[in-house]
Amino acid sequence: MATVTPTLGVVARVTDVLATVRTWEGSPILDSFKRLLQALPSEDQRAQIPAALGEALMPLRLSRERVLLALDIIVAFDLFEASDGMARLLRTEPSAEIAVRAAALATHPGASESLRDMVQLVGRSATSDSPILSRQITLALDPHIEPQSDSERLAIVSIWPGRSSLGDGDPPMIAVAANAGTCEQAMDFLVEVRSAGGRVRRLPSVATSLPSSEWLARSTVVVAGSDSTADEWWAKLHYSTVLNTRGSLAPSSRSALLQRVNRGLPLDRRLRFDQVELTRELENPFHEIDAFLSGAFRTHEMAFLSGLSKNVIGAISRKHTELQPRQFSGLNYWTFPTLVGIRTWNYLRKTTRRRLDPALAAQFVKMSGTEHAVPMAVTASGEILMEVGDGSFSNEEGQLTSEVFFVAGEIRQRFSLGGQRIAPDLLAPSAMTSVNPVVYGGSPTVKGSRITVDAIDRLARLALSDGMTGSEVLRYVQQRFPEIGAQELDEARQVARELLAVS
Amino acid sequence: MSSNETDEMLALIALAEAEGGPTRLRTRLRQLAADAAEAPSLVWEELSSLARQAASEIPTDLPDSDLHRVVALETFQRHCTLEEWRPSSIGSEEFRRHVERQPDPDQFLRTTLSSETVFPASHSWLVRSLDIEMLSGEAIVNALQLDQQRPPFVLCRLAVARMKLAGVRVRRPTGYDAVLGRHTIWSATGIPGGQEFVDLDIPGGAIEATLWRP
C-alpha cells in the first residue's frame, strides 16, 4: 500500500467517526477501526485512511480519551503512514502518554525519521513526567532490554514479538504485504485477523529496509502476492510460512487463508473463528433493526429449515419478487417471513401431496410477520381462507365457507418430507438447539446461548483433524465455550451436519 | 456525517425529552433535534452538557446492597488498570492471553486495578443482582442486553461497606444518564439482569473484587 495524501473530506470523515465512537464498550480499538472501514468503504477512500488518521490527530487532541484511542488504532494496525501526523502531534503535545505510543509505531520499518527523532527527544524529557511511561518508551526503543516485571515482559512481547524467549502463548502473528491484495481487501483482512485474536503487521513495500528480527514473531505467517523481488525479500526474513495470495484477498479466499494460517499454529495459539463470524454480522448491512426482526438466513439454512433443496428455492424465488433474497457481497440472505412462506408452501405440498403453485408461497410471505396469529385455511384448489370467527373461514371476496380442506396451524413443527427425510421444527431444529431470527440472523444456535452450531462444528472438526479423541474434542470446544456439554456438542454437530448436507 | 450518527443523536435527544423537564430544556432539545442532521458533533456537545446538568440535580442515596459493574476486558484494560498495564504499550490481545494463562485470573485482575477513578460518572452503570455473579460471559450478554459486545468480561463487585467508605451514592438511572453513556437502546423498564443504578465517579478503592468471565 503506497502512502497517499488524504483529501480533506476523508480526514474530516475520519475525525467525525473517531469523535463519536464508543470508547467505553466492547473492544474500542477494533470496533472503531471497523466503523472507519464502514464509513470509508471504497478502495480509494481506504487507501487514505492511514495517513488521514495521522492528520486527524491534531483536531482530536481536544479530547485526551479520543486522541489516545486514535493513537492506539494506529499502533494496533501498524498504520505507519500516520507517522508524520503523529510526529506533529508529539511536537505540539510532548506528553509521555503520546510518546509511548509514538515509540511503538517508530519501531515500524516504514515509519518516518521525523517520528523517530521526536520520540527520542520527548522520551528523554519524559523521565520526570511519568517513570513508568518513560521506562516503556525505553523498552520500545531498545529491543534488548531485560524486563523487570510481568508488565514489562508483556510490553516487550507486544512491541518486540520476535523476542520469543519471553513469549509463551502470545497471539499468532500474520504479516500482510503491500502486494497481498487491494487496500480495501487488506483492511478487511486485518479486521478479521484481529477479530479472531491474531496480531497483525503491515509490511511496507520491499523498497524499504528490512525490519529487525525482533519486530516480527518467529512464527509469523507472511501473506503476500507473487513477486520475485518480494519472494527474495521474504526469504531473508526466515519466517516459517509465506502464503501466496496471487495478489487477491477476496472474501472467498480469506476464509481459506485463515484456515491455512491456523493449521500451522499450535492449538493454544490458534485464531478464534467464532469471533470472525461476529465481524461478519456487524459488517452485514442487514444489521438494521428490521433485519434483526426478520432474520438473515443463508441459502443452506433456508433449505434445511424449509425442507426444500437449494435448487427448488432458487427456481421459485426467481419467479416471484416476494420470494427473492437480498444480496450482500455476492451472498444471498433471506428474511424470516420468506422462510415461513416457503416452508408453509412446502408443508402443504407434502401433507396434501398436491402440486401447489409457488405463487401461494408468495402470498404466505405477505401474511407472515403480522402482529397477531392469523388462523388460516387453504382449499383443495389452493385458495387461501382467513378465519372470521365461529370456526368459519372466508375467502378474499368475503364468502363464508365451512368446507375447509386443511387448516395450517402447525407448520412450525417437524414434518415428513417422504421416506426417512424430515423438515425439522422451525424454531427448534433439535432438543438443544434453536432458531431465533434476532440471534445471528436466525442461524441455528445452542438453545439459550448465542453460540452457533456452525462455530461449534468448525472447532470440533479442527480438533478432529489434529487427531483428538472424543473427550479431547469436548475439552477443546469447552476452552472456548465452557457452557457446552457433551450432549450439546453432539446435537450441535448433528444439526451442523444436516445443514451441510442440504443439496 | 452519516445518517447513523444523526440517528444516534436523535435517539439520545428523544431519551432526554422523555424525562420531561422544564419548558426551556424541552424547547432547546427540540432545537437540537432540528440541527442533528447538520452538525451532530456540536449537537452532542450541547446535549451532553444539558444532560450532565440535569442528572446532577437528581438526589442520590447510600447503596443498600452489593452492586456490580460489568465491563469488557479491553475496556477494563483501557480505563481501569494501573498505568503499567494500559494499552499504551501492552496490546489488548497480549493482555487477554496473559489473563487467560493466570492460575487465578480474578486475583490477577484485582492486582492490575487502579486506585484512581475507574468508572467516571457517565459510565458508572451498576447492576444489583446476586445472580449476575453466577453467569457466564455469554449469559451476561443476554442478561444485560449487551448485544454489541462479546466476552470476556470483568465483573467489578462493589460491596456496601467499601462503597460507603469511598463515598459512593447511587440512584436509579434516567434518560439523562442514558444520554451521557450514549445508550440509545436504554429503556426505563430496565434489563433482564436486574435493576440498574448509576453513581458519580467510582474510585478503584470501592471495588472489593474483580471476577473473570470468559
Side-chain angles (χ1 to χ4, degrees):
Chain A
M1 288 169 232
T3 308
V4 292
T5 305
T7 63
L8 281 177
V10 171
V11 175
R13 192 79 192 95
V14 167
T15 310
D16 282 343
V17 169
L18 290 177
T20 52
V21 288
R22 294 166 194 272
T23 58
W24 269 88
E25 281 179 22
S27 305
I29 295 173
L30 181 61
D31 295 345
S32 303
F33 193 63
K34 282 182 192 171
R35 282 280 301 276
L36 284 173
L37 298 189
Q38 283 168 354
L40 298 158
S42 73
E43 171 73 14
D44 177 48
Q45 289 171 323
R46 287 194 174 177
Q48 299 177 52
I49 288 178
L53 260 163
E55 297 298 319
L57 293 174
M58 290 298 269
L60 287 170
R61 77 183 194 282
L62 299 174
S63 162
R64 175 185 162 277
E65 188 171 301
R66 293 185 183 278
V67 79
L68 293 183
L69 175 61
L71 291 168
D72 289 338
I73 293 169
I74 290 169
V75 173
F77 287 97
D78 259 356
L79 305 177
F80 59 91
E81 299 93 327
S83 56
D84 281 336
M86 209 184 251
R88 276 196 297 278
L89 175 71
L90 200 50
R91 197 172 298 125
T92 311
E93 297 214 3
S95 75
E97 273 182 319
I98 294 172
V100 70
R101 289 161 167 91
L105 188 70
T107 63
H108 194 288
S112 66
E113 281 303 319
S114 64
L115 181 67
R116 295 201 183 97
D117 293 344
M118 279 308 299
V119 170
Q120 294 278 2
L121 195 66
V122 177
R124 280 197 292 274
S125 63
T127 315
S128 57
D129 188 11
S130 164
I132 291 173
L133 292 178
S134 173
R135 170 77 176 163
Q136 287 181 343
I137 294 169
T138 309
L139 294 176
L141 295 177
D142 184 351
H144 305 295
I145 296 176
E146 284 307 310
Q148 293 172 1
S149 65
D150 256 9
S151 59
E152 283 195 7
R153 188 194 65 77
L154 212 52
I156 293 173
V157 168
S158 299
I159 300 165
W160 301 111
R163 295 270 307 264
S164 58
S165 58
L166 298 175
D168 56 338
D170 39 301
M173 175 167 278
I174 289 98
V176 183
N179 67 350
T182 65
C183 188
E184 183 187 346
Q185 295 167 345
M187 294 268 181
D188 283 336
F189 186 63
L190 296 180
V191 164
E192 285 160 5
V193 172
R194 286 277 306 190
S195 300
R199 175 82 189 276
V200 293
R201 282 293 201 206
R202 283 173 70 238
L203 295 170
S205 77
V206 293
T208 57
S209 59
L210 280 171
S212 71
S213 60
E214 291 85 5
W215 189 72
L216 284 170
R218 294 284 166 86
S219 57
T220 298
V221 177
V222 175
V223 175
S226 184
D227 177 321
S228 58
T229 319
D231 290 346
E232 201 176 309
W233 204 66
W234 310 137
K236 290 180 193 165
L237 298 173
H238 309 297
Y239 300 120
S240 53
T241 320
V242 177
L243 299 180
N244 186 352
T245 64
R246 294 183 174 80
S248 172
L249 276 169
S252 55
S253 64
R254 291 206 298 268
S255 170
L257 199 61
L258 287 171
Q259 296 278 4
R260 284 171 65 192
V261 168
N262 243 11
R263 276 201 288 273
L265 295 167
L267 279 180
D268 64 343
R269 295 189 57 206
R270 284 188 170 173
L271 298 166
R272 302 167 168 123
F273 288 112
D274 60 309
Q275 308 283 338
V276 179
E277 284 185 347
L278 179 76
T279 313
R280 191 181 69 188
E281 186 178 273
L282 284 175
E283 289 177 347
N284 186 336
F286 307 135
H287 184 62
E288 303 295 336
I289 194 72
D290 69 328
F292 263 84
L293 289 173
S294 56
F297 294 86
R298 298 289 310 282
T299 305
H300 66 289
E301 292 164 347
M302 280 290 288
F304 171 60
L305 292 168
S306 66
L308 288 162
S309 72
K310 289 190 278 192
N311 284 342
V312 171
I313 292 174
I316 64 173
S317 69
R318 277 192 287 276
K319 292 180 184 168
H320 301 280
T321 319
E322 295 86 350
L323 301 178
Q324 283 168 4
R326 291 190 272 183
Q327 285 200 323
F328 173 61
S329 286
L331 297 174
N332 290 330
Y333 290 89
W334 311 71
T335 65
F336 189 60
T338 313
L339 168 61
V340 171
I342 289 179
R343 179 179 161 110
T344 306
W345 174 73
N346 191 32
Y347 174 76
L348 294 177
R349 286 171 66 222
K350 294 299 175 186
T351 49
T352 63
R353 296 184 183 180
R354 288 172 185 273
R355 288 176 66 88
L356 293 179
D357 189 336
L360 202 56
Q363 291 201 50
F364 290 140
V365 172
K366 285 184 200 165
M367 275 189 263
S368 63
T370 56
E371 288 183 4
H372 306 289
V374 183
M376 178 185 80
V378 180
T379 67
S381 59
E383 189 178 19
I384 297 175
L385 307 174
M386 314 299 286
E387 191 181 51
V388 291
D390 303 330
S392 299
F393 288 76
S394 166
N395 63 11
E396 282 184 351
E397 281 74 43
Q399 289 179 307
L400 290 177
T401 177
S402 58
E403 294 177 7
V404 176
F405 176 77
F406 188 82
V407 178
E410 307 293 342
I411 68 108
R412 61 159 277 199
Q413 293 180 1
R414 69 205 300 258
F415 60 88
S416 171
L417 297 170
Q420 299 292 312
R421 296 171 56 237
I422 58 138
D425 185 296
L426 179 59
L427 301 180
S430 71
M432 291 185 156
T433 60
S434 63
V435 167
N436 182 343
V438 303
V439 175
Y440 278 105
S443 195
T445 53
V446 172
K447 200 168 273 181
S449 80
R450 292 176 63 84
I451 307 169
T452 63
V453 299
D454 187 42
I456 294 175
D457 185 53
R458 275 198 275 171
L459 272 179
R461 276 188 284 139
L462 201 61
L464 286 168
S465 70
D466 274 353
M468 289 190 192
T469 62
S471 58
E472 288 169 334
V473 171
L474 178 60
R475 276 199 298 278
Y476 180 60
V477 171
Q478 284 175 331
Q479 282 175 7
R480 290 293 307 122
F481 305 120
E483 52 272 75
I484 298 297
Q487 220 172 335
E488 282 96 346
L489 175 64
D490 284 347
E491 274 203 21
R493 294 213 67 210
Q494 179 60 33
V495 171
R497 271 196 292 272
E498 288 171 21
L499 269 169
L500 285 175
V502 292
S503 54
Chain B
M1 275 291 171
S2 73
S3 61
N4 280 348
E5 283 133 19
T6 304
D7 290 348
E8 185 188 11
M9 284 308 121
L10 291 174
L12 293 175
I13 291 169
L15 286 172
E17 282 183 318
E19 290 298 321
T23 310
R24 188 187 300 171
L25 174 63
R26 281 182 281 134
T27 306
R28 187 63 196 131
L29 288 172
R30 276 198 297 277
Q31 289 165 343
L32 287 179
D35 293 335
E38 289 299 314
S41 301
L42 292 175
V43 165
W44 165 244
E45 208 171 295
E46 182 168 352
L47 178 63
S48 56
S49 168
L50 291 172
R52 195 170 295 113
Q53 175 63 30
S56 70
E57 291 166 4
I58 305 171
T60 55
D61 289 315
L62 286 171
D64 59 5
S65 65
D66 289 1
L67 299 170
H68 299 90
R69 174 68 164 89
V70 179
V71 60
L73 181 66
E74 190 185 310
T75 307
F76 178 83
Q77 185 201 1
R78 182 164 204 84
H79 298 289
C80 309
T81 56
L82 293 162
E83 203 164 47
E84 65 196 89
W85 295 103
R86 295 216 171 179
S88 52
S89 60
I90 294 176
S92 52
E93 192 58 33
E94 281 82 357
F95 186 69
R96 172 184 173 148
R97 288 178 187 249
H98 188 65
V99 177
E100 286 173 344
R101 284 198 299 270
Q102 298 300 314
D104 185 351
D106 295 353
Q107 180 54 32
F108 168 74
L109 289 166
R110 182 74 185 80
T111 63
T112 67
L113 196 62
S114 167
S115 59
E116 295 175 6
T117 295
V118 288
F119 299 115
S122 57
H123 300 287
S124 62
W125 288 66
L126 306 168
V127 187
R128 182 173 64 187
S129 166
L130 293 174
D131 297 334
I132 204 89
E133 271 197 18
M134 310 305 292
L135 299 179
S136 67
E138 291 286 350
I140 285 172
V141 171
N142 292 329
L144 301 186
Q145 295 182 326
L146 305 174
D147 287 346
Q148 304 270 345
Q149 300 190 47
R150 293 275 298 168
F153 294 111
V154 180
L155 263 67
C156 298
R157 185 202 295 145
L158 291 92
V160 173
R162 272 177 177 266
M163 282 193 282
K164 287 179 178 170
L165 272 176
V168 171
R169 293 176 67 88
V170 297
R171 61 172 171 75
R172 297 274 293 274
T174 65
Y176 302 127
D177 303 299
V179 168
L180 292 171
R182 300 179 82 142
H183 301 305
T184 48
I185 58 166
W186 178 79
S187 159
T189 55
I191 49 173
Q195 181 60 56
E196 294 166 302
F197 289 86
V198 289
D199 173 48
L200 301 180
D201 291 351
I202 297 178
I207 294 171
E208 182 184 65
T210 46
L211 307 169
W212 170 242
R213 290 292 176 269

